[in-house]
Amino acid sequence: MQKKDEKRIRLKKKIRSKIVGTDTRPRLSVFRSNKFIYAQVIDDTKYNTLAQASDIVLEKGTKVERAKEVGKMIAEECKKKNISQVVFDRNGFKYAGRVKLVADAARSAGLQF
């Protein structure tokens, strides 16, 4: 298990060297654990988090349903702060499963990648 996590961290560093969130187009970062999924919209120029959402507050539903809900929640938070475009950061995870569901739900709720 340790090698798999080290590989993800190396991949994460490689991805992060290529993408940067700005104040006009912040970075949407998704983190997935075994139980929960988290999403943050980050302005890398000022080093602050503009919006965040996680499924810790959601009590019912499968992991898949909660991932879709997190995508909708992060898109709603972005709309409140007049953010319409983001750069997607999959955080070293494969673009599949719950990570893809968060991205698709955010896209369908109005965010542009």
Side-chain angles (χ1 to χ4, degrees):
M1 189 66 175
Q2 187 69 9
K3 287 189 176 191
K4 188 175 183 180
D5 194 38
E6 290 172 2
K7 183 179 177 183
R8 187 186 70 80
I9 290 171
R10 269 196 325 264
L11 184 60
K12 176 183 173 179
K13 288 180 182 178
K14 185 176 178 182
I15 292 169
R16 282 285 292 125
S17 69
K18 296 177 184 176
I19 62 171
V20 175
T22 62
D23 56 347
T24 57
R25 192 168 178 161
R27 175 172 56 99
L28 171 61
S29 177
V30 176
F31 178 78
R32 176 183 61 86
S33 70
N34 287 335
K35 287 187 175 184
F36 303 110
I37 193 154
Y38 310 88
Q40 288 185 331
V41 177
I42 304 164
D43 178 5
D44 290 323
T45 57
K46 297 178 184 173
Y47 301 107
N48 64 349
T49 301
L50 304 173
Q52 62 184 4
S54 72
D55 65 344
I56 292 177
V57 296
L58 303 175
E59 297 175 1
K60 294 184 180 181
T62 63
K63 291 180 184 178
V64 170
E65 293 168 347
R66 292 191 318 224
K68 290 178 185 176
E69 190 62 32
V70 168
K72 291 176 188 173
M73 288 174 11
I74 197 70
E76 290 170 6
E77 288 291 321
C78 288
K79 283 182 184 177
K80 289 178 188 175
K81 300 194 177 193
N82 295 325
I83 300 170
S84 61
Q85 293 184 338
V86 295
V87 177
F88 188 72
D89 178 13
R90 58 189 173 94
N91 218 356
F93 296 105
K94 291 182 180 179
Y95 186 74
R98 292 186 289 153
V99 175
K100 184 174 188 265
L101 288 172
V102 169
D104 290 344
R107 230 184 248 118
S108 66
L111 278 182
Q112 295 176 359
F113 292 14

